Amino acid sequence: MAEPASSIYIASPEGDTGKSTIALGVLQMLCASAARVGVFRPIARSSTETDYILELLIDHTTADLSYEQSLGVSYEAVHADPDAALGEIVSRFHDVASQCDAVVIVGSDYTDVGSPSELGFNARIAASLGAPVLLALRGADRTADEVLQLAQLSLSELHNYHAHLAAIVANRCDPEALDEITAALEPLGVPAWSLPEIPLLMAPTMAELLEAVHGKLYSGDVELMQREAQRVMVGGMTAEHILERLTEGVVVIVPADRSDVLLALVNAHEAEGFPSLAGIVMNGGIEPHPAIARLVAGLGPRLPILTTELGTFDTASAAAKARGRVAVGSQRKVDTALSLMEQRVDARTLLDRLELEIPSITTPQMFEYQLIHRARADRKHIVLPEGGDDRILRAAGRLLQRQVAQLTILGEEGPIRRRAAELGVDLDGAQVLDPKTSDYAEEFAAEYTEIRKHKGMRIERAREVMSDISYFGTMMVHKGIADGMVSGAAHTTAHTIRPSFEIIKTTDGVNTVSSIFLMCLSDRVLAYGDCAIVPDPTAEQLADIAISSAATSAQFGIEPRVAMLSYSTGDSGSGVDVDKVREATRLVRERSPELLVDGPIQYDAAIEPSVARSKLPDSVVAGRATVFIFPDLNTGNNTYKAVQRSAGAVAVGPVLQGLRKPVNDLSRGALVEDIVNTVAITAIQAQGIAK
C-alpha cells in the first residue's frame, strides 16, 4: 500500500488574508522537494464561477490532476448537510492524495456569509484529512497585539476541533512592524512569519478595470491590459494640472470630449520625464471628436484606452471598488508573491513540520527551483545585451523580483525603461547602459585594439566594433564588470558567441567551445552534448566536449558518468566514425583518468541496465550514464529534439562550455521562462569560476 501523501491545510479566520500568496509559496516549496504535488480546494469559492485561486494553483502543480478532481463541494452542499459534505470532502481528498506525494489544501474564502463557525468547519476538515494547519492571518490595520489576539482566538477554535497547528503566517502587515509582529507570535510555540502589505498584489489590472466599469477597449495594445493600475485619478481639472499630478501606473478617468486632456495624456505617456500611465478610461458613453480620434490613431498609442457608459462618479466608484487578484496570467503578481514567501518564510523549517520524505528522483520543477535557489545564494552580475526585446525585459523583471542576479541591460535607457513600465515590469534594480554613449566605450575600444592587434586592429575600427551590443557585453564580462552574459533572443548564435572566441577565449586545457543541453526527464536530469556548436568534431574535439560536459554537469548536481555514443558498442563495430569515438574515449581517459567514461557505446546500452548487462556487463557507465556525448551535431541536435518532443522532456540550454567566463546563447524562439533559467545557469557557472 502506498504511503499517504504529506499535506498542509491553509486556513484563515476571515477573508482577504492573501491565502493565494501563501499557497503559491508553499506550493513552490513542495514542488522543489517532492515529485508529484497537487492542490485541493475542499469548498468551492463559487458554485457558478471558476475558482480563480484553484485555477492559479493547478497551473503550478506537478501532479496530473484536473480542475474538477481538485475540487471538493459547494457552499450550498455545506449548508444543506455539513456532515454529508464533510464525508464527500474526505472521499475526494483521498482520491487526490492517492495520486500525489504532497498536497496543498486551501481552505474556504468567506465568500459566503462569513461567520465564526467557518474557521471551525475548516478545522473539522483539516482534522478529518489528517493535515496540519498553516494559519493565515490578516495584519492590515492591526497592531502586533491585535494580530496575537486573533491568532489566540483562532488557535482555540482549531483546538476545539482537534486540528493541529503547524505554523502561522501573518500577511498584509505594516512593513515597519514585521519584526514586532513576528516576535509577538513567538510565545504560541510554532514557527511564525510575517509578510508585508504589497499594494501591487491588490491592484486591479486594466482587464479587471474594464470588467468593473462594464467598458470596451477603444484602442491600445491588448497585451498591456495585464498591467496593474496602481492608482485611479479623476481628470476633472485642466490638462496642465492633471499632468502635474500624474504618477507611475496611474489610470486617468476623463470624459472623451476633453480633447485637450486626452491628447496631453497620450503624449505624456510617451514623453521623457513623465510617468508611464497604466491606461485611460473615457467615461460618459461618448467618443472623441472624429478629428481628435484621427489624431490619436495617427499617434498609434500602445496605451490602453477604455470607454464606458458610466458617468464620472459611477466610473470612479466602480474603479475604486475593483480588487486585483493573483490569478492565471498575473505573472508580475505571481513573481511578487513567490519572492515574498522566499524571502520571509524559511522553507526548510516549514517542510520539516510536514515530515516530507526526501525523494530519490529529480523532476523538472525540482531542478528549475534548485537553479533559482543556487543562483540566489551567491548573486552574480549578468549582462543582457538585447534590451529592445520584450521577452528580455519581462525576464529581467522576474529575475530582479526574485533576486536571482544583478543585471545590466544594454540599449537606450529612456526607451527601455518606458517600454518596461508599459509592460508592468519593474527595472529599478537594473543598470541600463547604451554602448554608444557609455563611459566604458573608449576603454573597451582600447582593450579590443590590444587583443586584436595581431590581426591589424586599429582604434577607429575598434570603436565601431564596441558599439555592437554583443561585443560590448562580452567585453564587460572579459573586464570583470559583469560575471556572465546571456544573449541570442534576437540574434544568431554566431553573433552571440563570435565575440567570445575573440575576447574571452577558451579555458586552459580545452581548445573547443561546445554546449550541452540539460534534459529534464520526468524523474532525472541528463546532459546531452554537443547539440548546438561543433558540426563534425574530431577525436580531439570530442574529448574536449566530453571533459567540458562532465565538468558542467557536475556544476549542476549531475554525477558525471560519460557515454561516448556511436552506432556500435565496445569492440563490435569498426569504421572511421566508430574509430573516431574510440580514440576520443582513449584521450578522455588519458587527460582525465578520474572520470567515469566508456565508449564507443550505443544509446540503449548507455541508459538501459538490462541492455547494458548483455552488451557491456563490466562497464561502470553502461546502463547508468548521465552525460551523453554525440559523435556529431546532426545526431545530437536531432536526438535532443526527439527526446524533448516525444518524451515530454524539458530541454534547458544550450549551455555553452569551454570559455574562460560564461556566455550563453538563447534560442530566438526562447520563452521568458527559458531566459530566466539560462540567466540562473550562467550565474551558477560564474560561481564556479575562481576570481
Side-chain angles (χ1 to χ4, degrees):
M1 187 174 176
E3 290 291 320
S6 297
S7 58
I8 187 164
Y9 196 111
I10 302 174
S12 59
E14 59 189 331
D16 293 333
T17 55
K19 284 202 303 295
S20 54
T21 295
I22 298 168
L24 265 175
V26 173
L27 194 58
Q28 179 179 256
M29 294 173 191
L30 287 170
C31 286
S33 308
R36 300 174 302 162
V37 182
V39 65
F40 183 67
R41 193 81 148 120
I43 305 173
R45 192 173 193 279
S46 169
S47 58
T48 57
E49 300 177 2
T50 300
D51 188 310
Y52 75 87
I53 292 179
L54 179 57
E55 188 179 43
L56 168 70
L57 296 177
I58 284 176
D59 200 47
H60 290 77
T61 59
T62 54
D64 188 18
L65 292 167
S66 68
Y67 175 91
E68 289 74 21
Q69 287 174 293
S70 304
L71 269 178
V73 301
S74 65
Y75 270 103
E76 290 82 359
V78 174
H79 287 309
D81 190 336
D83 291 334
L86 180 57
E88 181 68 14
I89 288 169
V90 172
S91 175
R92 285 180 170 269
F93 170 75
H94 284 297
D95 287 342
V96 169
S98 67
Q99 302 176 65
C100 298
D101 299 311
V103 184
V104 177
I105 308 163
V106 186
S108 59
D109 285 337
Y110 297 80
T111 52
D112 196 54
V113 179
S115 71
S117 65
E118 188 155 353
L119 178 59
F121 192 72
N122 278 277
R124 284 184 66 191
I125 298 172
S128 300
L129 303 183
V133 173
L134 175 61
L135 184 64
L137 303 175
R138 179 163 55 84
D141 301 319
R142 285 180 174 138
T143 65
D145 286 341
E146 289 170 337
V147 174
L148 175 60
Q149 289 171 16
L150 179 60
Q152 290 169 330
L153 289 170
S154 301
L155 187 55
S156 176
E157 190 76 1
L158 295 177
H159 284 167
N160 287 341
Y161 292 95
H162 311 290
H164 170 67
L165 181 64
I168 300 171
V169 176
N171 194 16
R172 301 184 58 201
C173 302
D174 178 354
E176 301 296 321
L178 295 178
D179 292 341
E180 185 184 356
I181 291 171
T182 302
L185 294 170
E186 280 181 8
L188 297 178
V190 297
W193 301 278
S194 54
L195 308 180
E197 174 86 277
I198 304 292
L200 173 73
L201 294 175
M202 306 293 289
T205 63
M206 289 301 299
E208 288 167 330
L209 270 185
L210 180 70
E211 185 179 346
V213 302
H214 308 291
K216 297 178 182 177
L217 179 62
Y218 174 78
S219 69
D221 188 345
V222 175
E223 192 176 351
L224 302 186
M225 292 295 288
Q226 293 306 314
R227 184 179 181 185
E228 295 80 11
Q230 303 275 17
R231 176 172 158 256
V232 177
M233 171 185 173
V234 177
M237 56 198 80
T238 58
E240 58 269 24
H241 289 125
I242 291 174
L243 293 176
E244 290 174 346
R245 289 163 172 78
L246 295 179
T247 56
E248 194 70 24
V250 69
V251 172
V252 183
I253 299 170
V254 60
D257 59 357
R258 290 288 307 276
S259 303
D260 58 332
V261 173
L262 181 61
L263 291 174
L265 291 173
V266 169
N267 282 285
H269 176 71
E270 299 288 342
E272 290 269 6
F274 282 88
S276 172
L277 279 62
I280 300 170
V281 181
M282 301 189 299
N283 69 288
I286 53 177
E287 294 192 353
H289 185 279
I292 299 298
R294 221 167 36 250
L295 181 54
V296 170
L299 293 170
R302 295 187 296 259
L303 178 71
I305 302 176
L306 315 182
T307 60
T308 176
E309 298 288 329
L310 301 178
T312 301
F313 178 81
D314 290 335
T315 303
S317 297
K321 292 175 184 174
R323 184 173 174 271
R325 297 171 171 176
V326 183
V328 174
S330 310
Q331 192 59 58
R332 187 181 178 191
K333 289 183 178 179
V334 168
D335 289 333
T336 301
L338 292 176
S339 178
L340 263 183
M341 290 290 288
E342 288 166 349
Q343 293 172 43
R344 297 292 306 175
V345 176
D346 183 50
R348 191 69 266 155
T349 299
L350 181 58
L351 295 181
D352 285 347
R353 304 284 289 181
L354 305 184
E355 299 180 353
L356 193 68
E357 291 191 7
I358 304 298
S360 59
I361 63 174
T362 302
T363 67
Q365 292 78 11
M366 293 163 74
F367 184 71
E368 288 178 7
Y369 178 87
Q370 290 160 9
L371 285 180
I372 300 298
H373 181 74
R374 286 186 58 191
R376 190 192 296 116
D378 179 14
R379 294 178 71 201
K380 295 300 179 182
H381 186 169
I382 306 300
V383 59
L384 302 173
E386 298 164 314
D389 193 298
D390 284 358
R391 293 167 296 167
I392 295 293
L393 299 182
R394 292 186 188 277
R398 294 179 66 175
L399 290 160
L400 292 168
Q401 184 70 58
R402 298 185 65 185
Q403 300 184 352
V404 176
Q406 301 174 45
L407 298 178
T408 292
I409 302 170
L410 301 186
E412 292 184 57
E413 183 165 16
I416 285 175
R417 292 199 181 278
R418 280 199 302 277
R419 181 56 179 167
E422 280 187 339
L423 296 170
V425 172
D426 183 359
L427 291 186
D428 286 348
Q431 180 186 40
V432 181
L433 289 180
D434 186 347
K436 294 183 175 67
T437 59
S438 170
D439 293 340
Y440 293 126
E442 194 63 25
E443 176 189 345
F444 286 5
E447 179 75 9
Y448 187 69
T449 303
E450 179 64 22
I451 291 171
R452 302 289 289 175
K453 65 182 180 182
H454 65 289
K455 295 287 188 179
M457 182 57 59
R458 300 173 63 86
I459 188 69
E460 295 81 11
R461 173 58 184 156
R463 291 188 182 110
E464 293 177 15
V465 172
M466 282 300 119
S467 67
D468 181 279
I469 55 171
S470 288
Y471 276 91
F472 190 93
T474 303
M475 189 62 78
M476 286 184 68
V477 178
H478 171 68
K479 298 282 288 184
I481 299 166
D483 299 304
M485 183 178 87
V486 173
S487 188
H491 295 86
T492 64
T493 296
H495 188 264
T496 297
I497 66 174
R498 184 186 297 114
S500 303
F501 295 155
E502 296 179 6
I503 298 170
I504 294 175
K505 301 181 180 175
T506 57
T507 193
D508 294 340
V510 174
N511 297 314
T512 307
V513 174
S514 59
S515 72
I516 62 169
F517 277 89
L518 299 169
M519 302 298 293
C520 304
L521 305 178
S522 60
D523 60 350
R524 59 189 143 167
V525 181
L526 305 174
Y528 285 8
D530 173 14
C531 305
I533 303 296
V534 187
D536 188 15
T538 63
E540 290 76 14
Q541 288 175 317
L542 268 184
D544 277 347
I545 293 168
I547 293 167
S548 295
S549 298
T552 305
S553 301
Q555 277 191 295
F556 297 100
I558 302 170
E559 184 182 350
R561 293 186 291 274
V562 183
M564 307 294 287
L565 297 176
S566 179
Y567 59 76
S568 73
T569 295
D571 299 324
S572 66
S574 62
V576 175
D577 293 335
V578 179
D579 290 341
K580 179 178 76 171
V581 175
R582 189 172 286 118
E583 172 64 10
T585 305
R586 185 192 67 79
L587 289 171
V588 173
R589 287 170 174 160
E590 182 181 282
R591 291 167 55 186
S592 300
E594 77 290 346
L595 193 59
L596 299 179
V597 60
D598 212 341
I601 187 171
Q602 292 162 292
Y603 190 96
D604 59 346
I607 198 166
E608 176 53 48
S610 62
V611 178
R613 283 192 293 272
S614 82
K615 292 190 175 184
L616 281 177
D618 299 325
S619 173
V620 295
V621 171
R624 315 172 51 236
T626 56
V627 180
F628 297 80
I629 306 303
F630 295 93
D632 55 58
L633 186 59
N634 182 49
T635 308
N637 191 269
N638 278 294
T639 302
Y640 106 76
K641 287 179 178 175
V643 172
Q644 180 188 29
R645 301 299 178 187
S646 303
V650 176
V652 180
V655 180
L656 299 191
Q657 53 192 14
L659 293 167
R660 293 179 186 271
K661 294 184 178 181
V663 171
N664 278 309
D665 178 44
L666 296 165
S667 161
R668 276 173 282 178
L671 303 175
V672 172
E673 291 78 8
D674 300 327
I675 300 169
V676 170
N677 286 336
T678 304
V679 170
I681 282 170
T682 308
I684 293 168
Q685 287 180 298
Q687 292 171 358
I689 294 175
K691 297 292 185 183

